[in-house]
Each structure stands twice: as C-alpha cells, then as structure tokens.
Amino acid sequence: MARFFMAGTNLTGARAVIQGKDAEHIKVLRLRPGEEVTLCDGDGTDFIGNILHVGEGSAEVEILRSEPSAAEPSVRTTVLAGLPKGERGDYLVQKCTEAGAADIFFFQCTRCIAKPNNIEKKLERWRRIAEEAAKQSGRGVIPHVYYLEDFGEVLNKAVHCDLGLFLYETGERISIREAVEAKPDAETAAIITGPEGGFEPFEAELARQVGLSICAMGPRILRCETAPVMALTALMYGTGNL
Amino acid sequence: MARFFMAGTNLTGARAVIQGKDAEHIKVLRLRPGEEVTLCDGDGTDFIGNILHVGEGSAEVEILRSEPSAAEPSVRTTVLAGLPKGERGDYLVQKCTEAGAADIFFFQCTRCIAKPNNIEKKLERWRRIAEEAAKQSGRGVIPHVYYLEDFGEVLNKAVHCDLGLFLYETGERISIREAVEAKPDAETAAIITGPEGGFEPFEAELARQVGLSICAMGPRILRCETAPVMALTALMYGTGNL
C-alpha cells in the first residue's frame, strides 16, 4: 500500500487533503479513487484511508482508521552523539534512522574537534536526511535532530529514560549486552557516544554518578559514526525488536 | 603498546626486522630499545616483543611470546554481500571490518544494478580500506576481500559454516535473534545480504533448500550497505562478543 508522511496534509475530521509533492506522487503512481493509502503523521501513528478524488495538485482521502505504525520498535530511543567532523554526521543520521532511533542529538563536549559553525545549516541538512531515510526504510517516526551545547543536558536526557547507555572505551565498564539484558522491557532508552577523540574521564565519571550504564561494545575501537548504529542494533536485538 | 601489522616484516626465529612505513612509524613514535611492541600477523595471532635496535629504515624486535589477538571475536564470520553501486561498498567494508568480519565477499546476482567493471581495481581499493580499518580498530585480522561471480558459490560458502544467515525482506522468515540463539556457540558464521534491488524469490528459495536460516531484521527496510553491519552486530551480541 502506498505510504505518505502527512507534512503538507490537511486532516479535518475523517477527510485528509494531500497537497504538494505527495499529491504529484499520487498522480505518478496512478492511484485511483477507492484505492487504499497510508498517511503517517511522522510521530508513530498511521492513518489508513481510501482515495476519494485525485485532482490537479491535490488529492482527497477518506480516513477509515488509525493505528500505531507497525515499523516502530517497542523502545523509544534517543541517540546522543558528540558532534563529529565532516560527513560522519550525515552517515550517523541516516543509519540511526534505519536502525530505529526516535530522536538524534548532537552535542559539544571537551574533546570535540568539530566546530559548531553553521550548526543551523547542518541541522537542516540532517533533518532532510532523517526524513528521506525514514521514508525509504518505512519508519512511522521521522527522527527529530537537535543540537545541545551543554553536556549536562545530555546526561539529563538520558537519566529520564528507563535505560541510559553511555559508551566508553576504557576503565570499569559492563558489556552492552549486560546493560540491555538488565532492562529488556525498557520503553525508553538513551545511547550516548563520544566524538572522534572520545570522552574525558570526568565526563564518564559524571555519567556514572548520575546512574547511567557505562558500557563497552567489544574489544575493538569503533569510529564515532559507527558506534551509535551498532549500539542501537544491540539495543533492538536485546529488547526483542530484531 | 604500539601495534604493527607484519606485512613488510621479516620474522626469522625469535627476531623480527621491521621495514618500510612501520619502521618510519617506530621512529616517529620515538620508541627505544627495550620497549614492548605488538606485531600482528593479520591472521589472528599477535607476537609480543622488545625493540632491540632502531636504525635508518628498519627496526629489530626480539619476539618474546605469541598469543591469539585479543580483539578477535569467538565466531569467525564471512560477510557475503550483493555487489552494490558507488561508494556503498567502501562503507560496507569499513564498517564490517570494525564490527568483526573475517572475510568479505561481494557477489553478482540477478538484481544487481552495479556492473563488475574494473572489479580488480575495486578489490584493491576495498583491501586498502579493510587494512586501514583493521589497524584503526585494533583488529588482529585484516579481512580478506574477494569477488564471486557465481551465486552457487555464495551458498556453498555459507553451507560450510556452523551458522548461515540469509537476510531476506519478505516471505516466511525467522527473526535474526531466533536464528542466532539457535547456535550461540557457533565458531563460524556466514551473513548473506542482497544488492540494492534485493533477492529474487528463487534465490531465497535456493538458500532455504540448502539449509540456511532465512532471516528478518525487524520491520524496517534496510539499505544494502546497512544490513550487513547490523546483522554482524546482532551476531556478535548473540554469541557473547559484545
């Protein structure tokens, strides 16, 4: 069944009016009155309906029912990643969207090499990448992408989740498997990973003090854009979402 | 401890002579006689020794002992991926090396869009990427990268592993978690993933007939370069390597 995100859609009662690119797309797909389509609100709910009318630049849909998007995992996961250099952020957003992240925050911390110049432009770009990846992979949620300047806020976001994973490459740690298996029914989770240079010991110590799980992900050293998608995959596996 | 792959190293009895770039690197690191270094054979064994002598363009090391590389997972995994277009192959090789693949095969199949033009040049490039990623991530094995023209050979490689995972996006499948948990002590595994266009039903049927596990990896549609690294991560998690 054809599937559209509802941005640019007007939902009034049981009628939706689709406009812009999606309306063009409906014409390209030659969808006709009576055919079923899914309209996704980008926040986890799908609306299933019948096409009533296909016109110039708009299409009308009768909504029959709504349901939670089937492609969304049971655990709502926030990925928080130290701001990386160059195209690594693009990669991180695309892969974490495929792997099921609900929100993605980039943040500043002591060892960040990347400067937050033009961060608004970068955020625009990453939001576009998240939307495209969400559409391609059949997500019901378009991950929100934000930037945080304050490392304290990063910890604070994770503290309010059922499961807070802080990936760290040295010192006293448990395996990510142990951490996930301690909370297999988590409904919310946070994954915090560092920038190219990793975390300062005091940053990891703060994370430990506020009660996050300080985790290792095997004995290999992972690139800063690889760690989040692997951690997300481990989390999805351990919570029964893979 | 500084760590070098042994390509370009001459190992005679208990003496190793390091030449070329690695010898230069030893000078740059200002390593001196008496300091310990690790020489890795790129095939899973580390040789630990003391520097005896640092000269112009070469350095001599006395080998004290050898041991299995600590960073290698307990399961030796072969990744077999439908030949992808453009830079996706680069990404796939780099990330699968970080995630612990032992060998990577690209192959032709019915829905491949990419042409195997200049495949020798591509293989050279991918081998360089694998070597760099192995060094960066602290691997004890540099994954071998090959190309297979024959889909039958692909299935044959997987059949000879303790666990053969065939990732498929439709039809009757088990979850990758079920497949891995059925063989948590696997010593060898194969992961087969398709190209951009996926597999033909007859290809999946052949895989089923030869006894591979036909697996799903969640309800989302994954890009051809994302699926292998996620499958590898799931496998590492399920076999106690994460």
Side-chain angles (χ1 to χ4, degrees), chain B residues 117-157:
Chain B
N117 303 337
N118 298 318
I119 192 73
E120 281 308 322
K121 256 198 156 159
K122 283 181 187 166
L123 286 172
E124 256 177 55
R125 179 179 166 77
W126 288 329
R127 284 168 187 154
R128 233 173 17 244
I129 291 174
E131 187 178 336
E132 276 167 30
K135 284 181 182 174
Q136 276 208 341
S137 60
R139 289 285 305 269
V141 166
I142 301 174
H144 302 279
V145 188
Y146 302 102
Y147 175 67
L148 292 174
E149 272 190 351
D150 179 0
F151 186 67
E153 274 194 68
V154 173
L155 297 180
N156 189 47
K157 294 228 171 282

Side-chain angles (χ1 to χ4, degrees), chain A residues 1-218:
Chain A
M1 195 192 322
R3 192 178 159 84
F4 302 92
F5 278 103
M6 291 178 66
T9 299
N10 241 324
L11 186 67
T12 330
R15 292 279 165 99
V17 179
I18 299 172
Q19 284 159 326
K21 273 192 189 170
D22 284 341
E24 283 169 41
H25 197 197
I26 284 180
K27 286 201 91 163
V28 170
L29 292 174
R30 299 179 190 233
L31 296 177
R32 286 162 205 280
E35 291 194 77
E36 275 205 344
V37 294
T38 301
L39 302 178
C40 178
D41 71 353
D43 208 30
T45 303
D46 284 355
F47 295 87
I48 291 96
N50 279 334
I51 293 183
L52 288 177
H53 172 78
V54 182
E56 271 312 313
S58 81
E60 216 173 330
V61 173
E62 181 185 21
I63 303 294
L64 302 173
R65 62 184 192 279
S66 70
E67 55 190 39
S69 304
E72 288 304 308
S74 64
V75 53
R76 185 179 172 94
T77 308
T78 302
V79 170
L80 302 120
L83 186 69
K85 279 188 78 173
E87 290 178 358
R88 288 172 194 159
D90 297 2
Y91 164 76
L92 193 156
V93 169
Q94 187 185 62
K95 302 312 174 196
C96 286
T97 300
E98 287 179 72
D103 301 292
I104 300 167
F105 291 81
F106 289 100
F107 63 84
Q108 266 303 306
C109 60
T110 316
R111 294 196 190 162
C112 273
I113 312 163
K115 298 271 171 283
N117 302 337
N118 298 320
I119 193 72
E120 281 308 322
K121 254 196 157 160
K122 283 182 187 165
L123 286 172
E124 255 178 56
R125 177 178 168 78
W126 288 328
R127 285 169 185 152
R128 230 170 24 239
I129 291 173
E131 187 178 335
E132 275 167 30
K135 284 180 183 174
Q136 275 208 340
S137 60
R139 290 285 305 269
V141 165
I142 300 175
H144 302 278
V145 188
Y146 302 101
Y147 174 68
L148 292 174
E149 271 191 351
D150 180 359
F151 186 66
E153 274 194 68
V154 173
L155 297 179
N156 189 46
K157 294 229 172 279
V159 163
H160 290 95
C161 292
D162 298 338
L163 179 60
L165 306 171
F166 186 94
L167 278 288
Y168 191 44
E169 66 270 32
T170 182
E172 195 189 316
R173 300 164 298 166
I174 57 173
S175 74
I176 191 165
R177 179 166 163 168
E178 283 174 273
V180 173
E181 288 186 351
K183 295 253 178 83
D185 301 323
E187 289 177 8
T188 56
I191 292 168
I192 304 180
T193 60
E196 285 86 351
F199 287 115
E200 284 287 332
F202 86 87
E203 289 165 336
E205 195 44 43
L206 280 174
R208 191 188 309 275
Q209 282 169 6
V210 298
L212 304 185
S213 300
I214 315 298
C215 297
M217 212 155 40

Side-chain angles (χ1 to χ4, degrees), chain A residues 71 73 91 94-95 98-99 136-137 139 175 177 180 219-223 225-226 230 233-234 237-238 240 242, chain B residues 71 73 91 94-95 98-99 136-137 139 175 177 180 219-223 225-226 230 233-234 237-238 240 242:
Chain A
Y91 164 76
Q94 187 185 62
K95 302 312 174 196
E98 287 179 72
Q136 275 208 340
S137 60
R139 290 285 305 269
S175 74
R177 179 166 163 168
V180 173
R220 290 171 296 284
I221 298 145
L222 301 171
R223 286 172 164 254
E225 77 276 19
T226 314
M230 284 184 60
T233 305
Y237 186 102
L242 274 194
Chain B
Y91 164 76
Q94 186 185 62
K95 302 312 176 198
E98 288 179 73
Q136 276 208 341
S137 60
R139 289 285 305 269
S175 74
R177 179 168 164 166
V180 173
R220 290 171 295 285
I221 298 146
L222 302 171
R223 286 172 164 254
E225 77 276 19
T226 313
M230 284 184 60
T233 304
Y237 185 102
L242 273 193

